Amino acid sequence: MEDEKENLFFEPHKRGLMKTPLKASTAVNLPLPESQPDFGPLTTPTKPKEIAQGEPWTPTANLKMLISAASPEIRSRDEKRGLFDNRNELPEAKDSLHEHLSGDEYEKSQPSRKEKSLGLLCLKFLERYPKYPNLALNNDICLDEVAGDLKVERRRIYDIVNVLESLHMVSRLAKNRYTWHGRHNLNQTLQALKSTAEKNRYAKQIMMIKKKEYEQEFDFTKGCSIEDHIIKDDTGQNGQPDVCFVELPGMEFRAASVNSRKEKSLRVMSQKFVMLFLVSTPQIVSLEIAAKILIGEDHVEDLDKSKFKTKIRRLYDIANVLSSLKLIKKVHVTEERGRKPAFKWIGPEISPNPSDLEVEKSMIKVPADSVSGCSPVITFTSSDLEVRRSSKENCAKNLFSTCGKPNFTRHQSLIKLVKSIESDRRKINSAPSSPVKTNKAESSQNSAPFQSKMADLAAICKMQLEEQSSEPRNKVKVQLARSGPCKPVAPLDTPVNAELELTASSLTQSLGVVPLLPSPLSSAVPVILPQAPSGPPYAIYLQPAHAQSMTPPQGLSPTVCSTPSSKATRSKDPADATTEKAAKDTAKPSASTRPGSLLPVPERQGTKNRDREAARERGSKRASVFEDSASKKKFKEDLKGLENVSATLFPSGYLIPLAQCPSLGAESILSSTENSGTVSPSHRIYSSPIAGVIPVTSSELTGVNFPSFPVTSFKLMVSPTPVAAVPVGSSPALTSSHAIPVQNPSSAIVNLTLQHLGLIPPGVQVSASPGPGTVPVSPRIEAVSVAPDSTGTQQGRATRYDSPVPGHNQPNGQSVAVTGAQQPVPVTPKGSQLVVESFFRTPGGPTKPTGSACTDSDGASKTSVGTLFVPQRKLEVSTEDAH
DNA sequence: GATTCCCGCCAAAGA
DNA sequence: TCTTTGGCGGGAATC
């Protein structure tokens, strides 16, 4: 039926422009283009009021109106049936009613809250456009016009559009103008989101949160505040890079503004929310859990209840829109604590990438997550080396893949960073870039036209890179290299891994990349999501690190661990000792209770602040919100100093190569205090994020195919940035980063990445000079910070530059230019687009028509497969999910 | 009392 | 400087 609408799309903006959105109060249903085919493009929407005036309100109409007002369901049903013929009449009705009814009566006739709901508004909005519009037609959307037509504030339209944009159903064309794509890109987007979610181990996070809840309920009576949850969650997310936004090639954001506030934007939240569904089994997600996960990514600043409430509000907004899209529906999950509002995914099933299934063959298992007892194991294919090797090309490609994306998220922290390293960047940037995204949403569909241009850009970039590469630069030696973060971890983990191997295979989660360090850094790092070979190409941007993010979130994590229950469970594992130790190194600093930290002074400061904060939060949750705010502010201020330091070291806003994730995951595991103990081979309880805990024996585990943790192997595009893994930002990393003078972030990143990938020997360093050619398109790309030292887990962060880098063409990766400093200058949209597409292309994946250099590398692109085993610690409670 | 979520203030970003 | 965007949270409608 939706198809029916195809080709019926009318260009709203051509129908009369309403510069100023009408007041919501006057809102009434307006005729939609679809419903009024008569409307020519140039047709001027009838003005209800005008029409109404002078027209007698018939008793029948009056009755109709009253019924409609009194019974939203009826009205809604009428709308759905397309029988809302009175749409035009409604305004009249209002006026008439106003005249005929007394004040109270009139008020009653006013649209109820439900009628003004965002969901209903979204339905109206959607009615205006065909689900599958003819792309050849002009599908522009003028927000003002829509707002006017729907008689709502433009603000509300933004809410809808932002969510739709997160699904790439619309894309911003220009100020006040969007392009309607309908559902053409929906599946692709969902696929990308799912892959991203897997990489981010959202399923695991959900599970952990649930687990913690259970623990709190049963293990100790002391109530835990939201803050506690959040903090713990944070820990659980170790190192998980915050995903800013998943873009599809050609669908990049156009407005820098869009990126500026990205980290908290409705778009990002919407994507994350959707991701939760895509990786959950059953696909039901409660708002509470979703909020916690989302907040967790925002770190310290979001630890108070007010933030939680705000998040919930936003989730409702998003949920309403998604409901209107028929992607989710509201349900309730009943748990020990009572019913919780939740939403169930009713949208299209997104099948895992075919390639994902391959992964499981031989893998090296590393306890991925220390989080409370559940220690998921990240498995890497034995062919990892090969992957790395091949990754060279990918690496180069990845490093520059982002070139094309001028509009990466740019976080404030980035701005700071940018300033601090501005001088460096100047050297680097030469390429002209425009902040504006040239690509239209449609571009994704019509990339061909850009191919040649993109190819040119790629060539240019390549040249520039080569030039740069020739330049010797100071390099920061990053020992991340081959062993990468994993190395240090490996020894410790070995025993655990063995166990895991025995039991875990079945439980593996498809989290290929697990950037899981809870480190705040992660949030700061922009990540490039590896795309499944078969999956649609997409880029994920890590959320720019907040100042807070820079500080080790782990500080919080320790807290989590400290919980009695968690400790008990964790300690059980023999591996714990080792892992914990490692974790301590990383986490301690952050631990509120542990003053002594390995962190450098700045870090400590931050840690202290954090600790203070954490202590305050936990100890005296009661602190008023105001206090929290004040303290937070103070904390932020305190962090500023740190931020400057860390910022430079850990620029945020990069794309992180997922391929690196494994290592990260390993690190995260180590860093996480909880992980090791969690897995007991013999008897485990599996808890599905959604469903709750299911006791499973090891044998069961192996034999059982967990729906919730389907093992999917995914190919990671070897992103140039091993750094990505770095982001994992374990606190140690931060520390190290500070300690290490990174003169040239890019160089460090490159080295790190290469080493990490095994492309170059640890000792070898490649100088990456950000060349003008590299043109880090987006400012977001920043220097990479590496944390070589402590624990060996380094968390370097690679920042991704948006510059289209021909680098991918260079197998060696030497030429890879990583600009530590990015030029603020945005890359030309075209270039960016090109980059993006090619960048994400996996060999198996959609072939890129464009002959851009990127493609070359693609062919070679390797993906590292990562499997995450998530053996569950025994949870005694199971959640009941409403379906 | 809890859940939903509308509403619009106001600041950031853009033109 | 004005406009566009959109984060945010008060508080009211509903449950």
Side-chain angles (χ1 to χ4, degrees):
Chain A
M1 5 186 263
E2 308 173 6
D3 293 344
E4 303 172 1
K5 292 179 180 180
E6 189 165 356
N7 298 327
L8 292 178
F9 179 87
F10 291 90
E11 302 165 21
H13 61 281
K14 289 185 178 180
R15 291 182 312 211
L17 301 175
M18 301 176 76
K19 284 302 179 183
T20 305
L22 298 178
K23 262 280 186 181
S25 60
T26 62
V28 182
N29 298 306
L30 291 178
L32 300 178
E34 290 75 13
S35 62
Q36 296 187 349
D38 310 58
F39 266 30
L42 300 176
T43 302
T44 299
T46 56
K47 297 200 173 181
K49 285 189 177 182
E50 294 175 356
I51 296 171
Q53 290 177 351
E55 291 185 4
W57 182 245
T58 65
T60 301
N62 194 344
L63 178 61
K64 193 174 182 180
M65 174 61 196
L66 290 172
I67 293 173
S68 178
S71 179
E73 291 78 6
I74 293 173
R75 187 167 164 181
S76 174
R77 188 175 57 215
D78 287 345
E79 285 187 64
K80 290 180 180 177
R81 289 158 54 191
L83 300 177
F84 213 48
D85 295 337
N86 59 337
R87 261 180 275 197
N88 293 327
E89 299 173 355
L90 287 178
E92 310 174 32
K94 271 194 143 186
D95 292 343
S96 297
L97 287 175
H98 200 20
E99 296 175 2
H100 301 290
L101 300 176
S102 65
D104 292 345
E105 291 175 322
Y106 176 71
E107 286 196 10
K108 288 181 181 178
S109 68
Q110 293 277 331
S112 68
R113 186 182 170 91
K114 271 191 174 180
E115 292 174 272
K116 290 187 286 184
S117 73
L118 195 63
L120 192 56
L121 179 62
C122 184
L123 283 174
K124 293 174 186 174
F125 180 91
L126 294 173
E127 283 181 24
R128 297 170 60 90
Y129 314 100
K131 287 186 177 178
Y132 296 93
N134 182 337
L135 299 177
L137 299 178
N138 177 359
N139 295 320
D140 288 2
I141 298 171
C142 176
L143 296 187
D144 277 345
E145 183 174 343
V146 174
D149 287 353
L150 298 180
K151 302 275 178 118
V152 297
E153 291 178 70
R154 192 162 40 180
R155 178 70 196 79
R156 302 280 77 76
I157 299 299
Y158 285 128
D159 289 337
I160 294 171
V161 168
N162 285 343
V163 174
L164 294 177
E165 195 175 14
S166 73
L167 298 174
H168 298 114
M169 290 181 70
V170 301
S171 63
R172 192 169 186 273
L173 196 58
K175 179 177 104 176
N176 205 15
R177 181 139 305 191
Y178 284 76
T179 295
W180 174 253
H181 301 293
R183 299 191 177 224
H184 284 298
N185 299 315
L186 188 57
N187 286 336
Q188 189 180 14
T189 299
L190 294 176
Q191 182 89 52
L193 291 175
K194 185 173 185 179
S195 295
T196 301
E198 290 171 348
K199 268 85 183 182
N200 284 291
R201 301 193 308 177
Y202 277 130
K204 180 186 172 190
Q205 290 180 46
I206 294 171
M207 188 174 63
M208 291 192 296
I209 290 173
K210 281 185 167 284
K211 180 185 174 184
K212 287 170 185 170
E213 289 177 349
Y214 293 132
E215 288 179 351
Q216 289 177 1
E217 289 181 15
F218 298 93
D219 294 349
F220 32 106
T221 56
K222 75 176 181 179
C224 290
S225 67
I226 292 169
E227 293 84 343
D228 290 336
H229 280 292
I230 293 169
I231 291 171
K232 292 178 181 180
D233 294 345
D234 233 355
T235 305
Q237 297 176 358
N238 293 340
Q240 172 185 333
D242 290 348
V243 176
C244 274
F245 192 78
V246 177
E247 294 180 349
L248 293 177
M251 300 291 286
E252 300 85 0
F253 284 133
R254 284 176 167 271
S257 62
V258 170
N259 301 307
S260 62
R261 298 188 222 175
K262 229 184 213 176
E263 72 280 2
K264 291 180 182 178
S265 80
L266 209 61
R267 290 183 196 77
V268 175
M269 285 185 65
S270 175
Q271 287 197 335
K272 289 177 181 175
F273 191 41
V274 170
M275 285 182 205
L276 297 180
F277 288 104
L278 298 178
V279 297
S280 296
T281 307
Q283 294 179 301
I284 297 175
V285 175
S286 70
L287 288 179
E288 184 179 342
I289 288 177
K292 287 176 180 176
I293 290 176
L294 294 178
I295 290 172
E297 295 178 350
D298 288 337
H299 306 290
V300 180
E301 65 182 345
D302 293 326
L303 295 179
D304 59 63
K305 289 183 178 178
S306 65
K307 290 289 181 184
F308 184 79
K309 289 177 62 179
T310 295
K311 223 68 168 177
I312 292 290
R313 289 191 192 104
R314 298 290 82 76
L315 285 174
Y316 275 119
D317 292 340
I318 294 167
N320 281 330
V321 174
L322 294 178
S323 295
S324 296
L325 290 170
K326 302 290 188 295
L327 293 177
I328 63 174
K329 70 176 181 180
K330 187 175 181 183
V331 297
H332 283 91
V333 293
T334 302
E335 295 181 343
E336 290 70 11
R337 291 178 181 176
R339 277 177 78 197
K340 288 183 179 177
F343 289 87
K344 180 179 182 180
W345 182 259
I346 57 173
E349 281 298 320
I350 303 301
S351 59
N353 296 323
S355 62
D356 292 348
L357 299 178
E358 308 172 352
V359 180
E360 305 181 356
K361 324 171 182 179
S362 56
M363 24 186 143
I364 300 167
K365 299 172 184 177
V366 179
D369 196 345
S370 56
V371 180
S372 63
C374 352
S375 42
V377 176
I378 299 171
T379 61
F380 299 91
T381 59
S382 58
S383 60
D384 191 70
L385 294 178
E386 294 177 358
V387 172
R388 289 180 181 178
R389 220 175 283 135
S390 62
S391 66
K392 283 182 181 181
E393 301 131 17
N394 290 334
C395 198
K397 179 170 65 176
N398 289 336
L399 289 176
F400 306 96
S401 65
T402 53
C403 306
K405 299 180 180 182
N407 294 324
F408 273 134
T409 298
R410 180 171 191 158
H411 191 273
Q412 295 175 345
S413 63
L414 274 180
I415 296 173
K416 268 193 174 180
L417 175 63
V418 171
K419 291 179 179 178
S420 66
I421 59 175
E422 186 175 4
S423 60
D424 289 343
R425 290 184 177 180
R426 288 176 184 172
K427 297 176 183 177
I428 298 167
N429 25 324
S430 44
S433 61
S434 86
V436 176
K437 291 184 179 180
T438 57
N439 297 338
K440 289 184 87 174
E442 314 111 23
S443 64
S444 62
Q445 298 161 356
N446 305 324
S447 61
F450 299 101
Q451 293 177 355
S452 62
K453 290 181 179 179
M454 295 177 117
D456 292 343
L457 288 176
I460 294 170
C461 292
K462 185 176 182 179
M463 292 177 67
Q464 292 178 342
L465 290 175
E466 289 176 356
E467 290 180 0
Q468 292 178 352
S469 64
S470 63
E471 295 179 5
R473 290 189 74 110
N474 295 336
K475 305 157 190 172
V476 175
K477 206 176 186 177
V478 178
Q479 289 300 327
L480 305 178
R482 44 181 174 68
S483 60
C486 299
K487 220 178 185 178
V489 175
L492 297 176
D493 297 343
T494 303
V496 173
N497 293 342
E499 287 183 0
L500 294 176
E501 287 180 359
L502 295 176
T503 61
S505 60
S506 64
L507 292 181
T508 60
Q509 221 175 353
S510 62
L511 301 183
V513 176
V514 184
L516 307 179
L517 292 183
S519 74
L521 294 179
S522 65
S523 65
V525 178
V527 176
I528 293 172
L529 296 182
Q531 79 183 74
S534 62
Y538 59 91
I540 295 173
Y541 302 87
L542 292 183
Q543 186 171 344
H546 294 260
Q548 299 84 351
S549 63
M550 297 313 281
T551 62
Q554 301 128 351
L556 297 178
S557 64
T559 305
V560 173
C561 296
S562 66
T563 61
S565 63
S566 64
K567 275 187 178 179
T569 58
R570 292 164 193 165
S571 63
K572 293 176 182 176
D573 209 341
D576 282 348
T578 57
T579 55
E580 252 185 51
K581 196 175 183 181
K584 281 183 180 180
D585 292 344
T586 59
K588 269 188 180 180
S590 60
S592 61
T593 58
R594 300 166 192 168
S597 69
L598 299 177
L599 297 177
V601 174
E603 283 286 308
R604 287 181 185 176
Q605 186 64 39
T607 302
K608 286 181 181 178
N609 292 336
R610 241 188 310 172
D611 291 351
R612 198 194 313 158
E613 183 77 355
R616 184 172 57 69
E617 296 263 354
R618 282 178 229 127
S620 61
K621 304 169 182 178
R622 304 8 180 192
S624 65
V625 174
F626 294 106
E627 283 185 14
D628 288 348
S629 301
S631 63
K632 288 179 180 178
K633 289 181 179 178
K634 185 177 182 180
F635 176 61
K636 289 180 179 179
E637 292 179 357
D638 292 343
L639 290 180
K640 283 184 179 180
L642 174 62
E643 182 179 2
N644 292 336
V645 175
S646 62
T648 52
L649 295 178
F650 305 87
S652 60
Y654 308 131
L655 292 179
I656 297 172
L658 296 181
Q660 312 305 339
C661 295
S663 62
L664 292 178
E667 287 182 0
S668 65
I669 293 168
L670 292 177
S671 65
S672 66
T673 58
E674 302 174 358
N675 67 356
S676 62
T678 58
V679 178
S680 83
S682 61
H683 181 269
R684 299 174 187 184
I685 295 174
Y686 166 83
S687 90
S688 105
I690 296 169
V693 179
I694 301 170
V696 181
T697 61
S698 62
S699 61
E700 287 178 302
L701 292 177
T702 55
V704 176
N705 197 353
F706 254 89
S708 52
F709 299 96
V711 176
T712 61
S713 60
F714 51 92
K715 285 186 174 183
L716 297 182
M717 302 232 5
V718 177
S719 66
T721 59
V723 181
V726 174
V728 176
S730 57
S731 58
L734 292 177
T735 305
S736 63
S737 66
H738 290 291
I740 298 170
V742 178
Q743 296 175 351
N744 183 343
S746 23
S747 300
I749 295 171
V750 172
N751 289 325
L752 218 167
T753 302
L754 293 176
Q755 289 178 356
H756 181 65
L757 294 176
L759 296 177
I760 64 174
V764 177
Q765 294 179 349
V766 175
S767 68
S769 60
T774 58
V775 180
V777 175
S778 68
R780 14 183 141 98
I781 294 167
E782 302 297 349
V784 173
S785 66
V786 175
D789 66 343
S790 56
T791 66
T793 69
Q794 62 166 55
Q795 328 267 311
R797 274 188 191 174
T799 38
R800 201 168 181 334
Y801 303 88
D802 293 351
S803 63
V805 177
H808 56 283
N809 291 336
Q810 303 167 352
N812 298 337
Q814 293 176 349
S815 63
V816 173
V818 175
T819 57
Q822 293 181 326
Q823 45 179 203
V825 178
V827 176
T828 60
K830 291 179 180 178
S832 65
Q833 179 176 2
L834 173 59
V835 172
V836 172
E837 290 183 357
S838 62
F839 190 74
F840 294 98
R841 268 230 207 284
T842 57
T847 53
K848 184 179 181 176
T850 60
S852 65
C854 297
T855 1
D856 299 348
S857 59
D858 290 345
S861 68
K862 293 312 175 179
T863 61
S864 65
V865 176
T867 302
L868 182 61
F869 288 93
V870 184
Q872 291 295 315
R873 197 157 67 71
K874 32 188 148 182
L875 295 182
E876 284 125 15
V877 180
S878 62
T879 12
E880 299 174 5
D881 296 333
H883 294 280

